[in-house]
Amino acid sequence: MSGNPAVVMRLVASAYAEAEKAGAIIWRDRGRRANDLQTLADRLVQQSMCASLSKSFPKITIIGEEDLPEEAVKEDLIESSQSEEILQVLSIGIHPLFVCSLQLTCHLISGLLEHVTVLIGISYGGKAIAGVINQPFNYQLGTETADMWGMPGLGAFGFELQEVPDGRHTVDAMVPHDVNRVGGAGNKIVQLVEGKASACVFASLGTKKWDTCAPEAILHALRGKQHPLDHSEMRCDANVKHMNSAGVLATLRNHQYYTSKVPQSVLQALIDKYNLQLLLSKNPAKLLKHF
C-alpha cells in the first residue's frame, strides 16, 4: 500500500482506538453522576468520540445518543491514534456517515457492568459498512470478549465465534429452549457471537440507529442478518428517523425461521405504540384532552 491510507480504513482504525479510550473513561468515572439522567461518563465519552473523530475527519456527520450543550472539550479527552492492526488489513476509500452510541447509564446504576458497551458504527449510502463494539468492564471481569470489530466482505475480528447448537432456540415467543433477558443493544449481539443466544429480538421502541449500526455491520461480516420486524429495509443515514420504530430482529443463522415466528400481535403493538408516541410529540395538549 502506498500513499495515505484510504478514508474508511483510517476511520475504522480511529474508531477502534477511540472505543478503547471510551472504555478507559467509563472505567475511571463509573458511578459518578452528571445529572439525574446521565452519568459523568456518558457525557465525557460522547464528548471524546465527537471531538476526536470530527477533528481527524471534519467532513463526516456524527450522530450521538446524548444531547449535549456546545462546550470546549479538554485535550486529554481527544484520541488521535489509530489501530495499527486494523490499518494493516483495510483499504477502501469513500466518505462515510459516522454513528456513535454509549449503552451505559442504567447498567452502571444497576450494577450490570457486563451489559455496558461502547458502539461505534460507520455507514455509507444508508448501509452499515463497519462497526466496533467495546466492553470496558470485561477486561477487569475476565470474560470472553472485550473488543470486536468487523466489516462486511472482510470479516469480524477480536473474538472466537461460537454458535448455539443446531435446533436449539433461545428466544421468547418462538418456542425456545431457553430465554436470556439481558440489557444493552451491543451486549445482545455479543450474546449471539458467543453462542449464548440464537436470535435477538428488540420488540420495543427503545433502540435507535446508533444502537444498531455497529452490530449490523459485525453481523453482516459474519453472514448474519439484522432487520426490522416488519421486514422493511434498515437504513442508517443523516436523513432517516433515529428510532427503530418497527423493532429489530438479529440472527447469525436460520434468519427466515425466526422471522416467521414473530407474532403479528407484536408487530401491531409496535405500530400502535409508535403512532401514539408520534401523536403525543406533535400535539400533547390535544391528546390529553381527547382522553
Side-chain angles (χ1 to χ4, degrees), residues 114-148:
E114 70 275 15
H115 295 184
V116 176
T117 56
V118 176
L119 309 177
I120 301 180
I122 301 167
S123 73
Y124 176 74
K127 302 290 187 180
I129 62 169
V132 178
I133 297 179
N134 175 277
Q135 296 176 279
F137 292 102
N138 278 13
Y139 294 111
Q140 286 75 21
L141 296 175
T143 50
E144 295 92 333
T145 304
D147 292 278
M148 61 176 66

PDB file of all heavy atoms in Angstrom, residues 114-148:
ATOM      1  N   GLU A 114     -21.374  -6.022  32.965  1.00  0.00           N
ATOM      2  CA  GLU A 114     -21.125  -6.788  31.747  1.00  0.00           C
ATOM      3  C   GLU A 114     -22.048  -6.372  30.603  1.00  0.00           C
ATOM      4  O   GLU A 114     -21.813  -6.730  29.451  1.00  0.00           O
ATOM      5  CB  GLU A 114     -21.278  -8.288  32.022  1.00  0.00           C
ATOM      6  CG  GLU A 114     -22.678  -8.765  32.294  1.00  0.00           C
ATOM      7  CD  GLU A 114     -23.092  -8.614  33.753  1.00  0.00           C
ATOM      8  OE1 GLU A 114     -22.398  -7.882  34.492  1.00  0.00           O
ATOM      9  OE2 GLU A 114     -24.110  -9.220  34.144  1.00  0.00           O
ATOM     10  N   HIS A 115     -23.104  -5.604  30.889  1.00  0.00           N
ATOM     11  CA  HIS A 115     -24.016  -5.142  29.849  1.00  0.00           C
ATOM     12  C   HIS A 115     -23.561  -3.838  29.206  1.00  0.00           C
ATOM     13  O   HIS A 115     -24.123  -3.412  28.196  1.00  0.00           O
ATOM     14  CB  HIS A 115     -25.422  -4.945  30.424  1.00  0.00           C
ATOM     15  CG  HIS A 115     -26.070  -6.218  30.882  1.00  0.00           C
ATOM     16  ND1 HIS A 115     -27.371  -6.259  31.359  1.00  0.00           N
ATOM     17  CD2 HIS A 115     -25.610  -7.497  30.929  1.00  0.00           C
ATOM     18  CE1 HIS A 115     -27.667  -7.506  31.686  1.00  0.00           C
ATOM     19  NE2 HIS A 115     -26.609  -8.265  31.432  1.00  0.00           N
ATOM     20  N   VAL A 116     -22.577  -3.173  29.801  1.00  0.00           N
ATOM     21  CA  VAL A 116     -22.124  -1.873  29.306  1.00  0.00           C
ATOM     22  C   VAL A 116     -21.303  -2.051  28.028  1.00  0.00           C
ATOM     23  O   VAL A 116     -20.355  -2.834  27.988  1.00  0.00           O
ATOM     24  CB  VAL A 116     -21.270  -1.155  30.371  1.00  0.00           C
ATOM     25  CG1 VAL A 116     -20.711   0.147  29.816  1.00  0.00           C
ATOM     26  CG2 VAL A 116     -22.094  -0.902  31.624  1.00  0.00           C
ATOM     27  N   THR A 117     -21.664  -1.330  26.979  1.00  0.00           N
ATOM     28  CA  THR A 117     -20.910  -1.379  25.722  1.00  0.00           C
ATOM     29  C   THR A 117     -20.758   0.019  25.131  1.00  0.00           C
ATOM     30  O   THR A 117     -21.609   0.880  25.315  1.00  0.00           O
ATOM     31  CB  THR A 117     -21.603  -2.266  24.659  1.00  0.00           C
ATOM     32  OG1 THR A 117     -22.945  -1.800  24.454  1.00  0.00           O
ATOM     33  CG2 THR A 117     -21.624  -3.720  25.075  1.00  0.00           C
ATOM     34  N   VAL A 118     -19.670   0.206  24.422  1.00  0.00           N
ATOM     35  CA  VAL A 118     -19.472   1.378  23.578  1.00  0.00           C
ATOM     36  C   VAL A 118     -19.622   0.900  22.134  1.00  0.00           C
ATOM     37  O   VAL A 118     -18.960  -0.051  21.729  1.00  0.00           O
ATOM     38  CB  VAL A 118     -18.082   2.007  23.773  1.00  0.00           C
ATOM     39  CG1 VAL A 118     -17.892   3.173  22.803  1.00  0.00           C
ATOM     40  CG2 VAL A 118     -17.910   2.478  25.204  1.00  0.00           C
ATOM     41  N   LEU A 119     -20.506   1.534  21.369  1.00  0.00           N
ATOM     42  CA  LEU A 119     -20.752   1.136  19.989  1.00  0.00           C
ATOM     43  C   LEU A 119     -20.344   2.262  19.049  1.00  0.00           C
ATOM     44  O   LEU A 119     -20.751   3.406  19.231  1.00  0.00           O
ATOM     45  CB  LEU A 119     -22.238   0.835  19.765  1.00  0.00           C
ATOM     46  CG  LEU A 119     -22.908  -0.131  20.738  1.00  0.00           C
ATOM     47  CD1 LEU A 119     -24.385  -0.261  20.407  1.00  0.00           C
ATOM     48  CD2 LEU A 119     -22.234  -1.475  20.693  1.00  0.00           C
ATOM     49  N   ILE A 120     -19.547   1.949  18.051  1.00  0.00           N
ATOM     50  CA  ILE A 120     -19.212   2.915  17.012  1.00  0.00           C
ATOM     51  C   ILE A 120     -19.485   2.248  15.670  1.00  0.00           C
ATOM     52  O   ILE A 120     -18.864   1.239  15.328  1.00  0.00           O
ATOM     53  CB  ILE A 120     -17.748   3.371  17.082  1.00  0.00           C
ATOM     54  CG1 ILE A 120     -17.455   4.006  18.446  1.00  0.00           C
ATOM     55  CG2 ILE A 120     -17.449   4.362  15.965  1.00  0.00           C
ATOM     56  CD1 ILE A 120     -16.029   4.488  18.611  1.00  0.00           C
ATOM     57  N   GLY A 121     -20.450   2.787  14.932  1.00  0.00           N
ATOM     58  CA  GLY A 121     -20.802   2.239  13.633  1.00  0.00           C
ATOM     59  C   GLY A 121     -20.533   3.234  12.527  1.00  0.00           C
ATOM     60  O   GLY A 121     -20.625   4.449  12.732  1.00  0.00           O
ATOM     61  N   ILE A 122     -20.223   2.732  11.349  1.00  0.00           N
ATOM     62  CA  ILE A 122     -19.956   3.580  10.179  1.00  0.00           C
ATOM     63  C   ILE A 122     -20.854   3.116   9.046  1.00  0.00           C
ATOM     64  O   ILE A 122     -20.924   1.918   8.743  1.00  0.00           O
ATOM     65  CB  ILE A 122     -18.482   3.485   9.746  1.00  0.00           C
ATOM     66  CG1 ILE A 122     -17.575   3.915  10.901  1.00  0.00           C
ATOM     67  CG2 ILE A 122     -18.218   4.350   8.517  1.00  0.00           C
ATOM     68  CD1 ILE A 122     -16.111   3.575  10.691  1.00  0.00           C
ATOM     69  N   SER A 123     -21.572   4.045   8.442  1.00  0.00           N
ATOM     70  CA  SER A 123     -22.448   3.681   7.336  1.00  0.00           C
ATOM     71  C   SER A 123     -22.149   4.543   6.119  1.00  0.00           C
ATOM     72  O   SER A 123     -21.638   5.658   6.234  1.00  0.00           O
ATOM     73  CB  SER A 123     -23.921   3.831   7.732  1.00  0.00           C
ATOM     74  OG  SER A 123     -24.294   5.188   7.823  1.00  0.00           O
ATOM     75  N   TYR A 124     -22.481   4.013   4.957  1.00  0.00           N
ATOM     76  CA  TYR A 124     -22.308   4.738   3.698  1.00  0.00           C
ATOM     77  C   TYR A 124     -23.475   4.377   2.791  1.00  0.00           C
ATOM     78  O   TYR A 124     -23.812   3.202   2.643  1.00  0.00           O
ATOM     79  CB  TYR A 124     -20.988   4.353   3.030  1.00  0.00           C
ATOM     80  CG  TYR A 124     -20.794   5.002   1.671  1.00  0.00           C
ATOM     81  CD1 TYR A 124     -20.489   6.353   1.587  1.00  0.00           C
ATOM     82  CD2 TYR A 124     -20.939   4.276   0.500  1.00  0.00           C
ATOM     83  CE1 TYR A 124     -20.324   6.967   0.358  1.00  0.00           C
ATOM     84  CE2 TYR A 124     -20.774   4.883  -0.737  1.00  0.00           C
ATOM     85  CZ  TYR A 124     -20.465   6.229  -0.800  1.00  0.00           C
ATOM     86  OH  TYR A 124     -20.307   6.833  -2.019  1.00  0.00           O
ATOM     87  N   GLY A 125     -24.095   5.401   2.211  1.00  0.00           N
ATOM     88  CA  GLY A 125     -25.241   5.150   1.350  1.00  0.00           C
ATOM     89  C   GLY A 125     -26.390   4.487   2.087  1.00  0.00           C
ATOM     90  O   GLY A 125     -27.176   3.740   1.489  1.00  0.00           O
ATOM     91  N   GLY A 126     -26.498   4.730   3.388  1.00  0.00           N
ATOM     92  CA  GLY A 126     -27.572   4.162   4.181  1.00  0.00           C
ATOM     93  C   GLY A 126     -27.295   2.770   4.698  1.00  0.00           C
ATOM     94  O   GLY A 126     -28.113   2.207   5.421  1.00  0.00           O
ATOM     95  N   LYS A 127     -26.144   2.179   4.356  1.00  0.00           N
ATOM     96  CA  LYS A 127     -25.817   0.820   4.753  1.00  0.00           C
ATOM     97  C   LYS A 127     -24.685   0.806   5.786  1.00  0.00           C
ATOM     98  O   LYS A 127     -23.706   1.544   5.644  1.00  0.00           O
ATOM     99  CB  LYS A 127     -25.377  -0.005   3.533  1.00  0.00           C
ATOM    100  CG  LYS A 127     -26.414  -0.090   2.419  1.00  0.00           C
ATOM    101  CD  LYS A 127     -27.598  -0.930   2.833  1.00  0.00           C
ATOM    102  CE  LYS A 127     -28.550  -1.139   1.657  1.00  0.00           C
ATOM    103  NZ  LYS A 127     -29.728  -1.955   2.043  1.00  0.00           N
ATOM    104  N   ALA A 128     -24.794  -0.058   6.773  1.00  0.00           N
ATOM    105  CA  ALA A 128     -23.728  -0.217   7.758  1.00  0.00           C
ATOM    106  C   ALA A 128     -22.539  -0.911   7.101  1.00  0.00           C
ATOM    107  O   ALA A 128     -22.682  -1.999   6.548  1.00  0.00           O
ATOM    108  CB  ALA A 128     -24.227  -1.047   8.938  1.00  0.00           C
ATOM    109  N   ILE A 129     -21.369  -0.275   7.132  1.00  0.00           N
ATOM    110  CA  ILE A 129     -20.197  -0.842   6.458  1.00  0.00           C
ATOM    111  C   ILE A 129     -19.072  -1.214   7.421  1.00  0.00           C
ATOM    112  O   ILE A 129     -18.126  -1.899   7.028  1.00  0.00           O
ATOM    113  CB  ILE A 129     -19.644   0.119   5.386  1.00  0.00           C
ATOM    114  CG1 ILE A 129     -19.172   1.422   6.028  1.00  0.00           C
ATOM    115  CG2 ILE A 129     -20.683   0.377   4.302  1.00  0.00           C
ATOM    116  CD1 ILE A 129     -18.370   2.308   5.088  1.00  0.00           C
ATOM    117  N   ALA A 130     -19.168  -0.789   8.684  1.00  0.00           N
ATOM    118  CA  ALA A 130     -18.146  -1.158   9.664  1.00  0.00           C
ATOM    119  C   ALA A 130     -18.682  -0.893  11.061  1.00  0.00           C
ATOM    120  O   ALA A 130     -19.515  -0.008  11.257  1.00  0.00           O
ATOM    121  CB  ALA A 130     -16.850  -0.383   9.445  1.00  0.00           C
ATOM    122  N   GLY A 131     -18.198  -1.666  12.024  1.00  0.00           N
ATOM    123  CA  GLY A 131     -18.649  -1.470  13.392  1.00  0.00           C
ATOM    124  C   GLY A 131     -17.610  -1.910  14.400  1.00  0.00           C
ATOM    125  O   GLY A 131     -16.823  -2.821  14.139  1.00  0.00           O
ATOM    126  N   VAL A 132     -17.600  -1.232  15.548  1.00  0.00           N
ATOM    127  CA  VAL A 132     -16.732  -1.572  16.669  1.00  0.00           C
ATOM    128  C   VAL A 132     -17.597  -1.683  17.919  1.00  0.00           C
ATOM    129  O   VAL A 132     -18.449  -0.832  18.170  1.00  0.00           O
ATOM    130  CB  VAL A 132     -15.650  -0.493  16.904  1.00  0.00           C
ATOM    131  CG1 VAL A 132     -14.794  -0.845  18.116  1.00  0.00           C
ATOM    132  CG2 VAL A 132     -14.788  -0.306  15.666  1.00  0.00           C
ATOM    133  N   ILE A 133     -17.395  -2.754  18.694  1.00  0.00           N
ATOM    134  CA  ILE A 133     -18.057  -2.908  19.990  1.00  0.00           C
ATOM    135  C   ILE A 133     -16.972  -3.086  21.052  1.00  0.00           C
ATOM    136  O   ILE A 133     -16.145  -3.977  20.943  1.00  0.00           O
ATOM    137  CB  ILE A 133     -19.011  -4.117  20.016  1.00  0.00           C
ATOM    138  CG1 ILE A 133     -20.145  -3.940  18.999  1.00  0.00           C
ATOM    139  CG2 ILE A 133     -19.596  -4.298  21.425  1.00  0.00           C
ATOM    140  CD1 ILE A 133     -21.108  -5.126  18.960  1.00  0.00           C
ATOM    141  N   ASN A 134     -17.006  -2.215  22.048  1.00  0.00           N
ATOM    142  CA  ASN A 134     -16.055  -2.297  23.159  1.00  0.00           C
ATOM    143  C   ASN A 134     -16.832  -2.564  24.441  1.00  0.00           C
ATOM    144  O   ASN A 134     -17.851  -1.929  24.702  1.00  0.00           O
ATOM    145  CB  ASN A 134     -15.271  -0.990  23.288  1.00  0.00           C
ATOM    146  CG  ASN A 134     -14.357  -0.974  24.500  1.00  0.00           C
ATOM    147  OD1 ASN A 134     -14.800  -0.677  25.602  1.00  0.00           O
ATOM    148  ND2 ASN A 134     -13.102  -1.293  24.296  1.00  0.00           N
ATOM    149  N   GLN A 135     -16.371  -3.521  25.235  1.00  0.00           N
ATOM    150  CA  GLN A 135     -16.962  -3.821  26.537  1.00  0.00           C
ATOM    151  C   GLN A 135     -15.954  -3.449  27.620  1.00  0.00           C
ATOM    152  O   GLN A 135     -15.075  -4.238  27.959  1.00  0.00           O
ATOM    153  CB  GLN A 135     -17.316  -5.307  26.630  1.00  0.00           C
ATOM    154  CG  GLN A 135     -18.388  -5.732  25.640  1.00  0.00           C
ATOM    155  CD  GLN A 135     -18.628  -7.224  25.707  1.00  0.00           C
ATOM    156  OE1 GLN A 135     -17.882  -7.998  25.119  1.00  0.00           O
ATOM    157  NE2 GLN A 135     -19.657  -7.631  26.430  1.00  0.00           N
ATOM    158  N   PRO A 136     -16.063  -2.249  28.163  1.00  0.00           N
ATOM    159  CA  PRO A 136     -14.990  -1.721  29.028  1.00  0.00           C
ATOM    160  C   PRO A 136     -14.764  -2.498  30.309  1.00  0.00           C
ATOM    161  O   PRO A 136     -13.645  -2.506  30.831  1.00  0.00           O
ATOM    162  CB  PRO A 136     -15.465  -0.296  29.330  1.00  0.00           C
ATOM    163  CG  PRO A 136     -16.924  -0.304  29.071  1.00  0.00           C
ATOM    164  CD  PRO A 136     -17.129  -1.266  27.948  1.00  0.00           C
ATOM    165  N   PHE A 137     -15.777  -3.172  30.837  1.00  0.00           N
ATOM    166  CA  PHE A 137     -15.599  -3.849  32.112  1.00  0.00           C
ATOM    167  C   PHE A 137     -15.165  -5.297  31.959  1.00  0.00           C
ATOM    168  O   PHE A 137     -14.836  -5.949  32.938  1.00  0.00           O
ATOM    169  CB  PHE A 137     -16.887  -3.767  32.937  1.00  0.00           C
ATOM    170  CG  PHE A 137     -17.185  -2.368  33.384  1.00  0.00           C
ATOM    171  CD1 PHE A 137     -18.137  -1.609  32.732  1.00  0.00           C
ATOM    172  CD2 PHE A 137     -16.480  -1.794  34.426  1.00  0.00           C
ATOM    173  CE1 PHE A 137     -18.401  -0.311  33.127  1.00  0.00           C
ATOM    174  CE2 PHE A 137     -16.731  -0.497  34.825  1.00  0.00           C
ATOM    175  CZ  PHE A 137     -17.686   0.250  34.172  1.00  0.00           C
ATOM    176  N   ASN A 138     -15.158  -5.829  30.752  1.00  0.00           N
ATOM    177  CA  ASN A 138     -14.780  -7.224  30.583  1.00  0.00           C
ATOM    178  C   ASN A 138     -13.288  -7.475  30.779  1.00  0.00           C
ATOM    179  O   ASN A 138     -12.876  -8.596  31.068  1.00  0.00           O
ATOM    180  CB  ASN A 138     -15.215  -7.737  29.213  1.00  0.00           C
ATOM    181  CG  ASN A 138     -16.683  -8.137  29.228  1.00  0.00           C
ATOM    182  OD1 ASN A 138     -17.404  -7.803  30.163  1.00  0.00           O
ATOM    183  ND2 ASN A 138     -17.119  -8.841  28.224  1.00  0.00           N
ATOM    184  N   TYR A 139     -12.470  -6.430  30.595  1.00  0.00           N
ATOM    185  CA  TYR A 139     -11.052  -6.582  30.908  1.00  0.00           C
ATOM    186  C   TYR A 139     -10.884  -6.955  32.382  1.00  0.00           C
ATOM    187  O   TYR A 139     -10.133  -7.844  32.746  1.00  0.00           O
ATOM    188  CB  TYR A 139     -10.299  -5.275  30.641  1.00  0.00           C
ATOM    189  CG  TYR A 139     -10.241  -4.874  29.199  1.00  0.00           C
ATOM    190  CD1 TYR A 139     -10.934  -3.766  28.752  1.00  0.00           C
ATOM    191  CD2 TYR A 139      -9.487  -5.603  28.295  1.00  0.00           C
ATOM    192  CE1 TYR A 139     -10.875  -3.388  27.430  1.00  0.00           C
ATOM    193  CE2 TYR A 139      -9.417  -5.227  26.961  1.00  0.00           C
ATOM    194  CZ  TYR A 139     -10.112  -4.115  26.534  1.00  0.00           C
ATOM    195  OH  TYR A 139     -10.060  -3.730  25.223  1.00  0.00           O
ATOM    196  N   GLN A 140     -11.626  -6.239  33.220  1.00  0.00           N
ATOM    197  CA  GLN A 140     -11.487  -6.461  34.651  1.00  0.00           C
ATOM    198  C   GLN A 140     -12.249  -7.699  35.113  1.00  0.00           C
ATOM    199  O   GLN A 140     -11.860  -8.371  36.052  1.00  0.00           O
ATOM    200  CB  GLN A 140     -12.000  -5.224  35.413  1.00  0.00           C
ATOM    201  CG  GLN A 140     -11.064  -4.025  35.337  1.00  0.00           C
ATOM    202  CD  GLN A 140     -11.102  -3.316  33.984  1.00  0.00           C
ATOM    203  OE1 GLN A 140     -12.066  -3.450  33.244  1.00  0.00           O
ATOM    204  NE2 GLN A 140     -10.064  -2.562  33.671  1.00  0.00           N
ATOM    205  N   LEU A 141     -13.373  -8.015  34.435  1.00  0.00           N
ATOM    206  CA  LEU A 141     -14.181  -9.154  34.838  1.00  0.00           C
ATOM    207  C   LEU A 141     -13.630 -10.468  34.302  1.00  0.00           C
ATOM    208  O   LEU A 141     -14.003 -11.540  34.747  1.00  0.00           O
ATOM    209  CB  LEU A 141     -15.628  -8.969  34.336  1.00  0.00           C
ATOM    210  CG  LEU A 141     -16.390  -7.778  34.939  1.00  0.00           C
ATOM    211  CD1 LEU A 141     -17.742  -7.642  34.268  1.00  0.00           C
ATOM    212  CD2 LEU A 141     -16.570  -7.961  36.437  1.00  0.00           C
ATOM    213  N   GLY A 142     -12.740 -10.397  33.314  1.00  0.00           N
ATOM    214  CA  GLY A 142     -12.114 -11.593  32.787  1.00  0.00           C
ATOM    215  C   GLY A 142     -13.024 -12.451  31.936  1.00  0.00           C
ATOM    216  O   GLY A 142     -12.820 -13.660  31.817  1.00  0.00           O
ATOM    217  N   THR A 143     -14.048 -11.864  31.317  1.00  0.00           N
ATOM    218  CA  THR A 143     -14.976 -12.634  30.495  1.00  0.00           C
ATOM    219  C   THR A 143     -14.480 -12.727  29.064  1.00  0.00           C
ATOM    220  O   THR A 143     -13.436 -12.198  28.709  1.00  0.00           O
ATOM    221  CB  THR A 143     -16.384 -12.018  30.542  1.00  0.00           C
ATOM    222  OG1 THR A 143     -16.289 -10.617  30.285  1.00  0.00           O
ATOM    223  CG2 THR A 143     -17.002 -12.213  31.902  1.00  0.00           C
ATOM    224  N   GLU A 144     -15.280 -13.365  28.196  1.00  0.00           N
ATOM    225  CA  GLU A 144     -14.776 -13.805  26.913  1.00  0.00           C
ATOM    226  C   GLU A 144     -14.365 -12.692  25.949  1.00  0.00           C
ATOM    227  O   GLU A 144     -13.351 -12.766  25.276  1.00  0.00           O
ATOM    228  CB  GLU A 144     -15.848 -14.670  26.210  1.00  0.00           C
ATOM    229  CG  GLU A 144     -16.148 -15.977  26.927  1.00  0.00           C
ATOM    230  CD  GLU A 144     -17.294 -15.849  27.908  1.00  0.00           C
ATOM    231  OE1 GLU A 144     -17.498 -14.728  28.405  1.00  0.00           O
ATOM    232  OE2 GLU A 144     -17.969 -16.842  28.170  1.00  0.00           O
ATOM    233  N   THR A 145     -15.180 -11.650  25.828  1.00  0.00           N
ATOM    234  CA  THR A 145     -14.996 -10.672  24.769  1.00  0.00           C
ATOM    235  C   THR A 145     -14.831  -9.267  25.342  1.00  0.00           C
ATOM    236  O   THR A 145     -15.567  -8.872  26.224  1.00  0.00           O
ATOM    237  CB  THR A 145     -16.210 -10.679  23.818  1.00  0.00           C
ATOM    238  OG1 THR A 145     -16.395 -12.000  23.316  1.00  0.00           O
ATOM    239  CG2 THR A 145     -16.000  -9.729  22.650  1.00  0.00           C
ATOM    240  N   ALA A 146     -13.848  -8.512  24.874  1.00  0.00           N
ATOM    241  CA  ALA A 146     -13.677  -7.126  25.307  1.00  0.00           C
ATOM    242  C   ALA A 146     -13.824  -6.176  24.132  1.00  0.00           C
ATOM    243  O   ALA A 146     -14.536  -5.191  24.207  1.00  0.00           O
ATOM    244  CB  ALA A 146     -12.323  -6.940  25.975  1.00  0.00           C
ATOM    245  N   ASP A 147     -13.152  -6.451  23.013  1.00  0.00           N
ATOM    246  CA  ASP A 147     -13.254  -5.617  21.821  1.00  0.00           C
ATOM    247  C   ASP A 147     -13.557  -6.499  20.621  1.00  0.00           C
ATOM    248  O   ASP A 147     -12.992  -7.588  20.483  1.00  0.00           O
ATOM    249  CB  ASP A 147     -11.931  -4.892  21.538  1.00  0.00           C
ATOM    250  CG  ASP A 147     -11.619  -3.852  22.588  1.00  0.00           C
ATOM    251  OD1 ASP A 147     -12.154  -2.748  22.492  1.00  0.00           O
ATOM    252  OD2 ASP A 147     -10.826  -4.159  23.494  1.00  0.00           O
ATOM    253  N   MET A 148     -14.436  -6.026  19.749  1.00  0.00           N
ATOM    254  CA  MET A 148     -14.644  -6.715  18.482  1.00  0.00           C
ATOM    255  C   MET A 148     -14.928  -5.677  17.407  1.00  0.00           C
ATOM    256  O   MET A 148     -15.428  -4.596  17.689  1.00  0.00           O
ATOM    257  CB  MET A 148     -15.797  -7.722  18.570  1.00  0.00           C
ATOM    258  CG  MET A 148     -17.153  -7.135  18.904  1.00  0.00           C
ATOM    259  SD  MET A 148     -18.473  -8.380  18.886  1.00  0.00           S
ATOM    260  CE  MET A 148     -17.991  -9.410  20.270  1.00  0.00           C
TER     261      MET A 148
END
